[in-house]
Amino acid sequence: MNPTRIYVDADACPVKDEIYRVALRHGLPVSVVAGNFIRVPQDPLIERIAAGSGMDAADDWIAERAAKGDIVVTSDIPLASRCVKSGAEVIAPNGKPFTEQSIGMTLAVRNLMTDLRSSGEITGGPKSYSPRDRSAFLSALDQTIRRIQRQRAQQPAQDQG
């Protein structure tokens, strides 16, 4: 069984440093995926992936690899949906988890907001990133790692029975 890997949709991710700290504390590998070159710490557990400049190159790279037992950090709702379907745990940079239960409604709201913006109904973007968001993210990431580790620790006992 491969170790849990953290995939970071890095182009607009405000919590990369926090991810590195938590991942290194738990000894987990991190794939930092961006369209182009992005600076990452020099550590054997952290790999930098320049997925290319195609429209969804970074998203496609992550979605093709993320699987059950992995964690994806993204605010990209279509990417989150793809990764949830493949069994990965998905967390937004504000700490909000994307789950099978929530992703359908989240996608619908995103599409509605896109339509409203394109028709000129809504202007303005998301609210700014706050220290509370950062704290919620750190807590969610740590809890998710611990939950996956507990599930994996229980699996061998179940497999033998």
Side-chain angles (χ1 to χ4, degrees):
M1 185 178 329
N2 291 334
T4 295
R5 176 172 291 275
I6 301 174
Y7 293 95
V8 183
D9 182 10
D11 283 324
C13 181
V15 289
K16 289 188 282 289
D17 290 338
E18 290 78 1
I19 295 166
Y20 304 148
R21 277 203 315 273
V22 173
L24 294 176
R25 186 170 71 232
H26 287 278
L28 297 178
V30 179
S31 294
V32 184
V33 186
N36 298 306
F37 178 86
I38 191 163
R39 188 176 299 285
V40 301
Q42 293 225 301
D43 188 285
L45 284 174
I46 301 172
E47 71 171 339
R48 172 182 53 225
I49 306 294
S53 56
M55 180 67 170
D56 292 321
D59 295 358
D60 291 343
W61 194 96
I62 293 170
E64 288 164 8
R65 289 162 179 82
K68 185 167 177 54
D70 292 328
I71 299 169
V72 176
V73 179
T74 186
S75 54
D76 182 296
I77 296 166
L79 173 60
S81 176
R82 291 168 69 187
C83 294
V84 164
K85 285 181 179 130
S86 70
E89 301 283 336
V90 185
I91 308 170
N94 64 4
K96 181 175 171 255
F98 292 103
T99 64
E100 286 186 34
Q101 293 76 27
S102 71
I103 197 67
M105 181 59 78
T106 305
L107 264 171
V109 169
R110 173 199 174 265
N111 293 339
L112 173 66
M113 297 304 280
T114 300
D115 291 347
L116 289 173
R117 271 192 293 276
S118 67
S119 69
E121 291 288 325
I122 296 179
T123 57
K127 60 185 202 298
S128 61
Y129 196 75
S130 71
R132 179 180 292 151
D133 293 329
R134 191 173 308 279
S135 175
F137 172 77
L138 281 167
S139 175
L141 180 59
D142 206 59
Q143 288 172 0
T144 302
I145 290 169
R146 292 178 195 282
R147 185 175 66 250
I148 291 170
Q149 288 172 335
R150 274 195 309 274
Q151 289 167 348
R152 288 186 164 194
Q154 292 167 353
Q155 276 179 331
Q158 292 169 347
D159 292 345
Q160 293 167 359

